[in-house]
Structure formats: structure tokens, C-alpha cells
């Protein structure tokens, strides 16, 4: 049996010799290059879903999608036959080749903004779409942010809750107790709220380095999401690409980008 587990730094699956004389197919963990060679699932990243204010800068409008634009983007996805998938489905596809629905797409939301719950989610539900919500726990219950009950509801209704640290500090600068503050405590809180284990992480600002990978693995995270940098060639599961959808894109622009970028 050839195992790539060392290279991937994942637990090695040991297989007991079988009494059955027929050849046993071993589910080897795929190598990093196997994972990288798979067709990428488009993963979209959203922040605030609200109308622009005159005070919003050009840069911040990149992160703010007006509700009408979001509605048009969701309608395009539904009309074009896309199916939202969960991070667990994506992981199963990447690690063990599990089948995905036709035209898979993943919708992800960062930063705990309340309008993700009040504006985006109702729009998604019209089409039976689900998403992954990466929660920054310091904001829970604050004005303009989601409450614990809202996060629980999202989880109960089939969405995935992931971690986006405690207060959005750059992972590349963590030292000493920072991992405990930014990962351990927020993860425990999210597990308490959802009653489920928290297995997925999104890097604040999309910023990552390979030093973060063992820290995430130690804490039970099986994959992590960045933004649009080239993935690490040795451990691509810990720097999965996403694109930020700007508020200036209509359904057609989004579709063209998805086809071109993934
Ligand atoms: Zn963020």
C-alpha cells in the first residue's frame, strides 16, 4: 500500500489484512497533487449585504453587495442549474472522490454581519441554497451582527458554521497565547452554540502561511479557506481558494468569472 499520508500530514489509515482472498481496494489518502488536479468547485465569499451609503469608499464597496445584486446573483445560480454544497461535501469530494451534485457551488459568508441572516439567507432559501458562515465570535450579539440564536438557527437549518477567529487578527502574526485566544476559545463557543464540531476555518483578510497549518490540524480543523492566492503545493486543503463577489457584478458577470476562475 502506498500512502501519501506523510506528505499530507494526515493520519494514516491502517488496513487490517483481510481473510477475503479477493483483492482489497485500499482507500489511500490522495496526494497534494491529486487534490490540486481536481476540478475546482467555485467558492464565493460575501461580507455585508446592504445598499451602498455615500460614505462607503470604493474599496469598501468591494465587500458590500446591495440586496438587489445579491438577489440577481442567486437567481442566476438557480436558473443556471447550480447546487450549493457544504464544506463536508467538498471535503468528501477532495479526499475520497465522493460525488457532488451537478454544477456544484459553495456560498461562504465572513465576519458575522447581521444582514447575512436577515437579507442574504432568506434570498438563498427561495432556491433551497445553503451556505457556510465563518463567525468572528467577538461580534456575536453586538449591533449589526448576528446573535448566538441566529447562528444556532443557521446551523439547525443545514448551513455550516465555521470559525473566523475571535476578533479578526491576522493569523501570520500569532505567537504565544494567540492561538488559544483566536482559535481554542472561539471554537469551544461555536461548538456550544451549534452542538456540532467545528471543522472549517477562514483566515481573516484571507491571509495565511504554512505555519498556521499544524496549529489548525492540532485543533481538529480539516480544511481552511483563503481568498485568491495560489494554494500551497504541499497542503492545499488548508488554503482553499475563494473569490470575493463585488457588489458591482450582476448575475451574468458573476457567471463569467466563475467559469473563468475555477
Ligand atoms: Zn473577515
Amino acid at each position: 500500500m502506498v500512502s501519501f499520508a506523510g506528505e499530507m500530514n494526515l493520519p494514516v489509515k491502517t488496513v487490517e489484512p483481510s481473510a477475503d482472498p479477493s483483492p482489497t481496494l485500499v482507500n489511500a489518502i490522495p496526494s497534494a497533487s491529486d487534490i490540486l488536479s481536481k476540478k475546482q468547485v467555485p467558492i464565493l465569499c460575501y461580507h455585508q449585504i446592504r445598499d451602498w451609503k455615500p460614505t462607503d469608499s470604493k474599496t469598501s464597496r468591494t465587500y458590500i453587495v446591495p440586496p438587489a445584486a445579491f438577489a440577481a446573483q442567486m437567481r442566476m445560480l438557480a436558473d443556471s442549474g447550480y447546487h450549493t454544497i457544504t464544506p463536508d461535501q467538498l471535503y468528501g469530494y477532495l479526499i475520497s472522490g465522493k460525488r457532488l451534485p451537478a454544477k456544484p457551488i459553495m456560498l461562504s459568508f465572513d465576519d458575522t454581519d447581521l444582514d447575512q441572516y436577515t437579507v442574504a439567507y432568506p434570498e438563498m432559501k427561495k432556491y433551497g441554497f445553503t451556505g457556510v458562515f465563518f463567525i468572528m465570535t467577538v461580534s456575536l450579539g453586538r449591533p449589526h451582527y448576528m446573535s448566538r440564536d441566529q447562528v444556532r438557527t443557521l446551523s439547525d437549518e443545514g448551513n455550516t458554521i465555521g470559525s473566523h477567529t475571535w476578533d479578526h487578527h491576522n493569523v501570520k502574526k500569532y505567537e504565544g497565547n494567540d492561538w488559544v485566544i483566536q482559535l481554542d476559545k472561539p471554537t469551544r463557543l461555536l461548538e456550544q452554540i451549534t452542538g456540532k464540531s467545528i471543522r472549517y476555518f477562514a483566515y481573516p483578510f484571507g491571509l495565511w502561511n504554512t505555519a498556521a497549518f499544524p496549529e489548525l490540524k492540532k485543533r481538529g480543523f480539516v480544511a481552511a479557506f483563503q481568498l485568491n492566492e495560489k494554494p500551497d503545493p504541499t497542503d492545499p486543503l488548508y488554503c482553499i481558494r475563494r473569490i470575493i463577489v463585488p457588489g458591482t457584478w450582476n448575475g451574468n458577470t458573476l457567471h463569467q468569472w466563475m467559469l473563468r476562475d475555477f
Side-chain angles (χ1 to χ4, degrees):
M1 166 188 166
V2 179
S3 169
F4 297 98
E7 187 186 336
M8 286 289 300
N9 231 345
L10 286 164
V12 184
K13 205 181 255 181
T14 49
V15 178
E16 296 299 326
S18 168
D20 180 357
S22 64
T24 310
L25 279 175
V26 175
N27 253 344
I29 293 166
S31 69
S33 58
D34 285 345
I35 291 174
L36 284 166
S37 68
K38 293 201 167 196
K39 169 127 186 73
Q40 285 180 60
V41 172
I43 306 177
L44 311 182
C45 174
Y46 290 100
H47 295 83
Q48 296 177 54
I49 314 292
R50 62 161 174 83
D51 284 317
W52 293 330
K53 299 174 191 163
T55 46
D56 292 330
S57 68
K58 202 174 171 212
T59 318
S60 64
R61 286 177 192 204
T62 316
Y63 295 84
I64 303 166
V65 178
F70 185 80
Q73 292 165 4
M74 294 303 108
R75 196 165 48 243
M76 177 282 291
L77 293 175
D79 289 350
S80 309
Y82 282 91
H83 296 94
T84 54
I85 63 162
T86 63
D88 279 345
Q89 283 177 290
L90 179 71
Y91 182 75
Y93 162 72
L94 293 172
I95 278 292
S96 38
K98 288 205 178 126
R99 280 179 69 103
L100 293 177
K103 291 198 168 184
I105 179 135
M106 210 170 96
L107 305 175
S108 70
F109 297 84
D110 290 10
D111 295 357
T112 330
D113 293 289
L114 180 60
D115 44 43
Q116 296 170 2
Y117 185 84
T118 54
V119 182
Y121 186 46
E123 202 59 46
M124 291 157 63
K125 281 206 274 193
K126 288 182 187 173
Y127 309 106
F129 289 170
T130 60
V132 48
F133 294 81
F134 291 109
I135 304 297
M136 154 176 82
T137 51
V138 71
S139 305
L140 285 168
R142 290 189 176 175
H144 310 296
Y145 291 97
M146 286 190 257
S147 67
R148 295 180 186 205
D149 282 347
Q150 288 164 333
V151 170
R152 183 181 300 113
T153 301
L154 287 172
S155 170
D156 288 348
E157 294 187 2
N159 300 280
T160 303
I161 302 304
S163 170
H164 197 44
T165 74
W166 176 59
D167 70 348
H168 216 273
H169 271 71
N170 175 358
V171 163
K172 289 162 93 167
K173 295 187 177 159
Y174 291 0
E175 48 186 35
N177 210 33
D178 288 339
W179 291 104
V180 173
I181 295 166
Q182 298 293 346
L183 280 185
D184 293 353
K185 289 179 181 174
T187 305
R188 275 202 297 277
L189 175 58
L190 292 173
E191 289 181 341
Q192 250 173 42
I193 292 172
T194 60
K196 297 171 187 161
S197 54
I198 302 298
R199 289 155 45 90
Y200 302 96
F201 180 76
Y203 299 98
F205 315 102
L207 296 173
W208 58 279
N209 58 13
T210 53
F213 298 175
E215 299 291 342
L216 289 165
K217 288 176 192 182
K218 251 194 297 203
R219 291 165 170 88
F221 289 97
V222 297
F225 296 82
Q226 54 143 342
L227 290 171
N228 210 5
E229 277 179 53
K230 198 169 179 291
D232 177 70
T234 59
D235 226 341
L237 285 177
Y238 288 84
C239 42
I240 298 175
R241 275 183 62 235
R242 304 182 289 167
I243 56 166
I244 288 182
V245 181
T248 48
W249 287 3
N250 62 21
N252 186 44
T253 324
L254 170 60
H255 200 189
Q256 295 314 311
W257 270 90
M258 283 164 48
L259 296 173
R260 193 169 89 187
D261 236 42
F262 288 96

